[in-house]
Amino acid sequence: MKQALSNPVLIKEIKLRFRSMKSFTGIIFYLLAMCVFVFGFIMLTTSFTGTGYFRPEESFFMFTMLTYIQLGLILFITPGLTAGAISTEREKQTLNILLTTAQTSFQIITGKLTSSIAFLLLLLVAGLPIYSLVFLFGGVSPGQLGIIFLFFFLTMLAVGGIGIMYSTIIRKTIVAMIATYGTMIFLAGVTGFIYLVITGMNTMATGSLATSPAPIAHFFASINPVVLILTLIMPTQSDDFITQTTNIDFPIWAGYTIFYIFITVCSILIAVKKLRVNMKKMR
């Protein structure tokens, strides 16, 4: 049982990543940047209002800004950590050696993916004490923060899976990174734009909010991480607005969960299947 659960690739990747001074330097600068933002925001807000205290509404706004900063961190850093996981080994000509070991393709792919996700989780956990400052001023519940972090984790898995998949099927690291970042731009930006265009066209055609169901608009809103975070931060107002504009009463979080779990599983399966196929083609 112990041998079945052991993954030498994961152990090696974690040791290399977490023993590097570059990784911990990055964490330190990230925490310093968050501290500067949080304490600077508190000082500026209390100075401008002249009240000398931080209100719950201002704490909620700061929490919203921190949440979107964390989302941007996930969408920006995850492709850089995963899109070169396999292609870098191929470029260094070490992938052939790795494939001659007793490790299965699944162990290699999951080991590379898990080590990258572990580093990102460390970043999120390291920032929790700064996040927890909002509880001192009110406006945010611990349960709301927990749900947001669960969806952060799901997003990391999906983005990491996409990066690993591109890294496996594309031989060049730079091309794999471009493809991964392009996919992230589509999911985080283009889907929201398509949602706004469809709902805007429906409003112009009818002169009011949607009177007939708009499943395409609702689907693109459901897979957009920016829209999801907005619905988690302000659940009542955001859900009501999306329901009114699409005329579909289906939770955004449910559609997001189903879609991104599907994307994660498919990406990992494709990467596992194509890992050794590419090596046969190179021969």
Side-chain angles (χ1 to χ4, degrees):
M1 182 66 179
K2 183 178 180 181
Q3 292 180 351
L5 295 176
S6 65
N7 191 333
V9 176
L10 173 61
I11 296 173
K12 188 263 293 184
E13 290 292 327
I14 288 180
K15 286 182 178 179
L16 289 178
R17 190 178 300 277
F18 285 88
R19 287 179 178 178
S20 172
M21 282 299 299
K22 186 188 300 184
S23 299
F24 286 97
T25 303
I27 294 174
I28 290 173
F29 278 106
Y30 165 71
L31 294 178
L32 287 176
M34 285 193 67
C35 288
V36 170
F37 172 79
V38 170
F39 291 108
F41 183 85
I42 294 175
M43 292 179 62
L44 289 175
T45 303
T46 53
S47 298
F48 285 141
T49 57
T51 58
Y53 60 86
F54 203 58
R55 295 176 295 182
E57 308 86 55
E58 296 159 350
S59 174
F60 178 78
F61 180 75
M62 183 178 70
F63 172 76
T64 303
M65 295 295 295
L66 284 174
T67 301
Y68 276 106
I69 290 174
Q70 293 278 42
L71 177 63
L73 171 78
I74 292 171
L75 296 178
F76 180 76
I77 294 183
T78 307
L81 293 176
T82 58
I86 302 299
S87 57
T88 301
E89 296 279 354
R90 186 182 294 113
E91 291 173 350
K92 292 180 179 179
Q93 298 183 355
T94 55
L95 184 58
N96 287 337
I97 301 174
L98 184 61
L99 293 179
T100 58
T101 63
Q103 305 308 304
T104 63
S105 298
F106 183 78
Q107 284 181 309
I108 295 173
I109 294 298
T110 55
K112 294 282 188 178
L113 176 61
T114 307
S115 64
S116 301
I117 297 301
F119 179 73
L120 282 171
L121 284 176
L122 178 61
L123 278 179
L124 293 180
V125 172
L128 274 178
I130 302 174
Y131 247 118
S132 61
L133 288 175
V134 298
F135 300 132
L136 297 175
F137 308 102
V140 181
S141 66
Q144 190 175 24
L145 178 62
I147 293 174
I148 289 175
F149 266 72
L150 285 177
F151 280 95
F152 277 164
F153 179 69
L154 177 60
T155 305
M156 282 190 292
L157 281 178
V159 177
I162 292 172
I164 287 288
M165 179 188 69
Y166 282 130
S167 182
T168 305
I169 63 180
I170 299 176
R171 297 180 61 179
K172 297 295 183 180
T173 300
I174 185 65
V175 180
M177 285 189 177
I178 292 173
T180 308
Y181 278 112
T183 305
M184 291 308 99
I185 292 173
F186 174 80
L187 292 174
V190 178
T191 54
F193 178 75
I194 295 174
Y195 161 74
L196 293 175
V197 169
I198 295 176
T199 54
M201 292 175 61
N202 290 340
T203 302
M204 292 176 60
T206 60
S208 59
L209 295 177
T211 56
S212 60
I216 298 178
H218 192 276
F219 170 75
F220 281 113
S222 298
I223 65 175
N224 188 291
V226 178
V227 175
L228 171 79
I229 295 300
L230 185 62
T231 59
L232 295 178
I233 293 175
M234 297 183 293
T236 305
Q237 300 91 325
S238 302
D239 286 340
D240 290 343
F241 177 77
I242 294 175
T243 301
Q244 292 173 0
T245 54
T246 62
N247 202 25
I248 295 178
D249 189 11
F250 187 76
I252 293 294
W253 65 265
Y256 188 92
T257 303
I258 295 171
F259 178 80
Y260 278 85
I261 289 177
F262 176 77
I263 288 295
T264 303
V265 174
C266 289
S267 299
I268 293 176
L269 291 179
I270 292 173
V272 170
K273 184 177 180 180
K274 295 293 184 180
L275 180 61
R276 298 181 188 273
V277 173
N278 286 345
M279 293 304 301
K280 292 178 181 179
K281 290 181 179 180
M282 291 176 62
R283 292 174 185 175

